[in-house]
Structures are given as C-alpha cells and as structure tokens.
Amino acid sequence: LLPMLTKSFARGEARHVLPQETITAIINKLIGGDIPAYKEALRIELLKMATLLIEHVPTQLVEHRKELIKFSWNHLKSEDTQSKQCAYVNVCRFIQVYDTPPKIILQVYVALLRTFQPDARALVK
C-alpha cells in the first residue's frame, strides 16, 4: 500500500487516490484507534503511512492533528528501536508542516540527539 501511495503522491494524484472521507476513516479507525491491539509491525507501517500522509496531504489532515501527534507521541516511548525511530520521523514531519510550540520542538530535538543506537542512525539523519 505504501509504495502505491508514494507513487500516486509523486504523480500529484493525492486527491483522487485519497478523498477526505477515506482519510477520515483511516485516522478514526486505524490511527485514532486502540494502539495496544496492534502488533509492532503493523504499528510501524501505520507510522510510515501517517508520515506519508503528513508529507503529502497536510491540508486534509488539519482537523486530525491531535490524533496524529498523539499516535506518534505514544510510540516515542516504545522499546522497539524501529518503532521509536519511525515515530521520531513522523513527529519531525509533523513539526515541519504544522505550527508546533517551541517547547515541543526542543524536546524532540534533545531526544533525537540522545539517540545513539547504531541501527537507528540512518533514520536520525
């Protein structure tokens, strides 16, 4: 699904592929849903999809900002390195696209500086 969405976004077909109703359903049923019910692999894919949506259709997500940041923020505390790093990428994209308080930006920046796992280095760059 993610490669197909990426290609569609690159072609400028975002509005045709994901109408507002679909985005609302994704946020309400998957991302805004019960996080512990998902396995780690699915959580990572949902983080990647949320990041892709934030990058390419930010105006369609304005009303869902709270759910998006809450979903990502919960994963920052994850024990799984990949999940945590995908959450950092997601939060950074969120900060890039939406107005975010400087205090939050500083917290994320300091936490990223503390990341030292060799397998996470590529994501931090």
Side-chain angles (χ1 to χ4, degrees), residues 9-121:
F9 290 149
R11 291 181 184 162
E13 302 169 349
R15 298 244 183 226
H16 302 292
V17 175
L18 287 174
Q20 186 62 43
E21 300 82 29
T22 305
I23 289 175
T24 301
I26 289 170
I27 300 296
N28 291 339
K29 296 188 188 237
L30 297 175
I31 294 175
D34 187 25
I35 295 171
Y38 300 141
K39 294 193 180 210
E40 201 65 39
L42 180 57
R43 291 182 199 183
I44 291 168
E45 292 303 314
L46 288 172
L47 280 165
K48 289 178 182 179
M49 182 173 63
T51 303
L52 193 64
L53 293 174
I54 290 169
E55 280 184 70
H56 296 284
V57 290
T59 55
Q60 290 178 277
L61 296 171
V62 171
E63 64 188 55
H64 304 290
R65 288 179 299 182
K66 182 178 178 182
E67 292 91 349
L68 287 167
I69 197 65
K70 184 177 176 184
F71 179 72
S72 303
W73 205 263
N74 287 333
H75 285 85
L76 292 177
K77 301 172 224 154
S78 175
E79 294 296 321
D80 182 60
T81 305
Q82 187 177 6
S83 178
K84 184 183 285 190
Q85 297 308 316
C86 287
Y88 276 120
V89 171
N90 185 287
V91 170
C92 289
R93 293 291 182 212
F94 186 92
I95 289 169
Q96 180 184 17
V97 173
Y98 301 113
D99 289 334
T100 309
K103 182 178 178 180
I104 303 288
I105 296 170
L106 185 61
Q107 286 177 349
V108 172
Y109 182 69
V110 169
L112 277 171
L113 288 176
R114 290 185 185 149
T115 302
F116 62 90
Q117 291 93 351
D119 54 333
R121 196 170 291 143

